[in-house]
Amino acid sequence: MKSQKIPEATIIRLSVYSRYLKQLEKNGLITVSSGTIAEGVDGSPAQVRKDLAYFGEFGTRGVGYNVSDLNRYITKILGIDNKWNVIIVGAGNLGSALSQYKGFDERGFNVLALFDNDPEIVGKKAGKIPVFSAPRMTSFIKENNVEIGIIAVPAPFAQDIVDEMVGAGIKAILNFAPRVISVPDYVELRNVDLAVNMEVLTFNMTFQK
Amino acid sequence: MKSQKIPEATIIRLSVYSRYLKQLEKNGLITVSSGTIAEGVDGSPAQVRKDLAYFGEFGTRGVGYNVSDLNRYITKILGIDNKWNVIIVGAGNLGSALSQYKGFDERGFNVLALFDNDPEIVGKKAGKIPVFSAPRMTSFIKENNVEIGIIAVPAPFAQDIVDEMVGAGIKAILNFAPRVISVPDYVELRNVDLAVNMEVLTFNMTFQK
DNA sequence: CTCCTTTTGTGAAGATTATAACATACGCTG
DNA sequence: CAGCGTATGTTATAATCTTCACAAAAGGAG
Ligand SMILES: NC(=O)c1ccc[n+]([C@@H]2O[C@H](COP(=O)([O-])OP(=O)(O)OC[C@H]3O[C@@H](n4cnc5c(N)ncnc54)[C@H](O)[C@@H]3O)[C@@H](O)[C@H]2O)c1
Ligand SMILES: NC(=O)c1ccc[n+]([C@@H]2O[C@H](COP(=O)([O-])OP(=O)(O)OC[C@H]3O[C@@H](n4cnc5c(N)ncnc54)[C@H](O)[C@@H]3O)[C@@H](O)[C@H]2O)c1
């Protein structure tokens, strides 16, 4: 791979390609062309090839790509060829739902525990995932080699939890609280804001088309 | 507003500005500069002004923007100056959590009902939101003027539900199922894919920096 | 072994988006 | 009411991302 800045959009698409390839693989398909991938993910063949070209040459001219090889390459690129340990803070409606999400496990994300500060919830389980008390978070992160934290507490508490996570050595955070969060630049942060997504929909309904 | 294509990134930022302005308004702030907004949302002042400039002139030179006026304008732009009716299909872990999400109501999204095909769940309530049987969806959409549908069923069923929603006259769909979904181009669609978000994190941890 | 079809990989062109820079306008002070 | 400081609105510049077009390579047919 050439050392170069990779567009985030490319990474997002690679993840979608990977999901689609997995499906093709299950269907017993051996080879696939950029055109077929493009159809399957609602994109363009040139885009598919360009995205892959950032990382190497994975295809055979005149033939296409070997489905399972390509998926293995992409999986490696995305960094999910091995497992990641994850915790979720906030065992309310959203946190509990996330802890049950099969899509995490399937893609190599291992949710070890939930954390909450409500004594009514602490000690219980959400499915198979235990809920621990919030003050235990830091030591748990250190002892269990947790790299990724998910924020599912109410917005006013989000930054505090994030700071604690960062202090404990977490490397990446997925934030669901509708707040702008600060992290040092060696920590990866992504925000998932559902109201924002809804508002993009309503904007498009109201203005465009 | 000049008729022009607005970048989606601009809409996303406007939504975040709006959330931040609401906070400032609650704190009693009267006027705010593009610089202060930029700080609050972790952006640049030029970007803030540029985003607003697509839609008009909302500020006063040498002064800044009136906080509540600006927020009202943005709210209008985003199309959330009035309420939208929403349904959620799939009353499992995720669907139930979403139905309880306060952030929807706060921003003008009115979740009227959940739909599911599991007889164990149908007839119950998630908080105050009733769960109806899946076959009732089409008539409910028509009778209650539902414009937005949320997909929270397992991936293999997502396209079918979407088709039914579209047939019933739904105008926009927020999809949580990890599948590429097709809709006619007069229907707005957005996908929220959590595994993809996680994979962007792991990519950045593995490659960049 | 050569030709022909196919599909990749890529450099160049085009489109879009972000950043920077500055002239313009507003309000305040004296 | 004139001059000054400040923050907007906008034009110009730069950076980024996508699309296009085609040469290069592979495999298969004759
Ligand atoms: N419910 C949803 O579908 C949804 C969707 C998108 C975003 N969100 C956001 O996710 C967050 C959680 O939403 P929710 O609906 O699950 O709320 P919730 O009230 O059901 O759950 C929040 C949980 O966080 C716990 N908590 C509060 N402060 C804490 C702290 N300092 N340390 C540890 N735990 C703490 C509470 O005890 C509670 O169990 C909110 O920021 C919300 O805006 C929720
Ligand atoms: N759990 C999460 O946190 C999470 C996160 C992201 C995405 N998702 C996605 O959201 C979807 C739902 O996930 P979940 O964890 O809530 O699963 P779940 O199994 O808890 O819930 C799915 C619900 O859908 C219902 N259902 C199935 N087929 C249906 C149909 N044809 N019509 C109506 N209802 C039907 C089921 O009865 C069930 O109640 C899945 O596609 C999943 O990949 C879930």
Side-chain angles (χ1 to χ4, degrees):
Chain A
M1 162 204 177
K2 306 151 212 157
S3 191
Q4 181 184 1
K5 215 200 144 273
I6 314 290
E8 179 173 296
T10 289
I11 305 308
I12 292 172
R13 284 189 297 263
L14 283 177
S15 176
V16 176
Y17 301 160
S18 170
R19 202 179 64 204
Y20 180 63
L21 288 169
K22 197 172 175 181
Q23 207 180 309
L24 294 183
E25 205 176 347
K26 204 175 293 172
N27 296 349
L29 208 67
I30 305 298
T31 54
V32 66
S33 70
S34 58
T36 305
I37 296 175
E39 261 181 62
V41 303
D42 195 28
S44 81
Q47 184 78 82
V48 171
R49 295 199 300 275
K50 194 76 183 200
D51 286 337
L52 295 172
Y54 284 110
F55 301 97
E57 306 191 2
F58 306 113
T60 308
R61 295 175 189 217
V63 179
Y65 304 89
N66 177 289
V67 174
S68 60
D69 285 354
L70 181 59
N71 196 23
R72 200 160 34 242
Y73 287 129
I74 296 181
T75 300
K76 184 100 186 287
I77 291 166
L78 294 174
I80 51 171
D81 52 337
N82 49 20
K83 297 266 179 189
W84 296 89
N85 290 325
V86 179
I87 61 167
I88 300 173
V89 183
N93 288 304
L94 182 65
S96 307
L98 292 174
S99 72
Q100 301 304 106
Y101 183 36
K102 294 189 187 72
F104 284 156
D105 191 60
E106 277 169 20
R107 301 295 285 177
F109 299 104
N110 196 6
V111 178
L112 298 181
L114 287 150
F115 290 86
D116 206 293
N117 67 357
D118 180 346
E120 292 289 313
I121 310 180
V122 170
K124 300 213 168 113
K125 289 196 171 193
K128 290 179 179 171
I129 317 288
V131 182
F132 297 131
S133 78
R136 291 188 51 190
M137 188 183 76
T138 293
S139 61
F140 187 93
I141 291 171
K142 290 179 176 167
E143 285 160 18
N144 293 276
N145 213 10
V146 178
E147 292 109 342
I148 305 176
I150 297 181
I151 299 291
V153 295
F157 308 110
Q159 183 68 60
D160 285 348
I161 305 285
V162 166
D163 291 346
E164 199 182 332
M165 281 181 173
V166 170
I170 276 216
K171 293 294 181 316
I173 291 171
L174 191 63
N175 171 47
F176 286 87
R179 271 287 163 86
V180 174
I181 299 290
S182 307
V183 291
D185 59 4
Y186 58 83
V187 173
E188 293 299 324
L189 171 69
R190 285 185 72 81
N191 299 296
V192 178
D193 193 316
L194 299 198
V196 169
N197 274 286
M198 295 291 278
E199 289 166 19
V200 174
L201 289 177
T202 55
F203 172 82
N204 287 334
M205 281 190 275
T206 312
F207 273 75
Q208 327 267 62
K209 55 187 47 169
Chain B
M1 162 203 178
K2 304 151 215 158
S3 191
Q4 180 185 3
K5 215 201 143 270
I6 314 291
E8 178 172 296
T10 289
I11 305 307
I12 291 172
R13 284 189 298 264
L14 284 177
S15 176
V16 176
Y17 302 160
S18 170
R19 202 178 64 205
Y20 181 62
L21 289 169
K22 197 173 177 182
Q23 208 179 309
L24 295 183
E25 204 175 349
K26 204 175 293 172
N27 295 351
L29 208 66
I30 305 299
T31 54
V32 65
S33 70
S34 58
T36 305
I37 296 175
E39 262 182 61
V41 304
D42 196 26
S44 81
Q47 183 78 81
V48 171
R49 295 199 299 275
K50 196 72 194 269
D51 287 337
L52 295 172
Y54 284 111
F55 301 97
E57 306 190 3
F58 306 114
T60 309
R61 295 176 190 213
V63 178
Y65 304 90
N66 178 290
V67 174
S68 59
D69 284 354
L70 181 59
N71 196 24
R72 201 162 30 243
Y73 287 128
I74 295 181
T75 300
K76 183 101 184 286
I77 291 165
L78 294 174
I80 52 170
D81 52 337
N82 49 19
K83 298 266 178 188
W84 295 88
N85 291 326
V86 179
I87 61 167
I88 300 172
V89 182
N93 288 303
L94 182 64
S96 307
L98 293 175
S99 72
Q100 301 304 105
Y101 184 36
K102 295 189 187 71
F104 284 156
D105 191 60
E106 279 169 19
R107 302 294 286 178
F109 300 104
N110 197 6
V111 179
L112 298 181
L114 287 150
F115 291 86
D116 206 291
N117 66 357
D118 180 346
E120 292 287 313
I121 309 181
V122 171
K124 300 218 169 109
K125 289 196 171 195
K128 291 180 179 168
I129 317 289
V131 181
F132 297 131
S133 79
R136 292 189 50 191
M137 187 182 78
T138 292
S139 61
F140 188 92
I141 291 171
K142 291 179 175 165
E143 285 159 21
N144 294 276
N145 212 11
V146 178
E147 292 109 343
I148 306 176
I150 297 181
I151 300 290
V153 294
F157 308 111
Q159 183 68 60
D160 285 348
I161 304 285
V162 165
D163 292 345
E164 199 183 330
M165 281 182 172
V166 170
I170 277 217
K171 293 293 180 318
I173 291 170
L174 191 63
N175 171 46
F176 285 87
R179 271 289 162 86
V180 174
I181 299 290
S182 305
V183 292
D185 60 4
Y186 58 85
V187 173
E188 294 297 326
L189 171 69
R190 284 185 73 80
N191 299 296
V192 177
D193 192 316
L194 299 197
V196 169
N197 274 286
M198 294 292 277
E199 289 167 19
V200 174
L201 288 176
T202 56
F203 172 82
N204 287 333
M205 281 190 274
T206 311
F207 273 75
Q208 326 269 62
K209 50 189 49 168

